[in-house]
Amino acid sequence: HALREQGSKSLTYTEFAVTKDFKTAFVNHVGLIIVGSMMLNPLTSGLLKKYVFPKVGEGPSMKNMEDRHYLCIFGEGIGINGNRAESIMYFDKDAGCLETSRMLVESGLCLALEEDKVPAKHGGFWPPAAGLGNVLLKRLLETGTSFE
């Protein structure tokens, strides 16, 4: 992990989803297990593909992706002396398609147009945020991302 290499060895990372109540969380979790199991089963995976999953071109409309989806990422760090830092990154469109495409394009433009400013100077695998750093963040903020 890039942050462990450059920072504290005791750094931990947690990811979670927020739901409105326990019932919603439980239904989502059980539903994910059931559908995942059905996808792995050769007898039921064909039924899912034919009757449940959308066909090519049947995804959400552009208006729906622009108006109804968003992604909010919250991060918190606590130092060894108890110092605390928080950040929030907000994407106001569909994160699964529109925002992902925009981030991919901006990452490519960082490498093509601002390679000399990119912090990752040696080989290996670098996630975009760690490898492109503030160069990518600046480009994302200029094209619609909110960051505090």
Side-chain angles (χ1 to χ4, degrees), residues 104-115 135 139:
L104 181 62
V105 168
E106 294 300 339
S107 297
L109 290 172
C110 285
L111 294 171
L113 303 176
E114 302 181 80
E115 183 180 4
V135 179
R139 293 190 75 89

Side-chain angles (χ1 to χ4, degrees), residues 27-87:
V27 169
N28 287 349
H29 185 73
V30 171
L32 185 62
I33 291 170
I34 291 170
V35 172
S37 298
M38 290 177 73
M39 287 173 55
L40 295 173
N41 184 333
L43 299 173
T44 55
S45 64
L47 295 173
L48 287 175
K49 290 176 187 172
K50 186 171 183 177
Y51 297 109
V52 177
F53 295 148
K55 309 292 183 277
V56 175
E58 289 183 348
S61 68
M62 183 61 79
K63 180 169 177 29
N64 189 346
M65 289 190 294
E66 290 176 344
D67 296 343
R68 297 190 181 174
H69 295 84
Y70 70 91
L71 174 65
C72 182
I73 302 169
F74 173 79
E76 178 184 61
I78 302 171
I80 57 173
N81 296 328
N83 297 337
R84 183 175 236 135
E86 297 178 352
S87 65

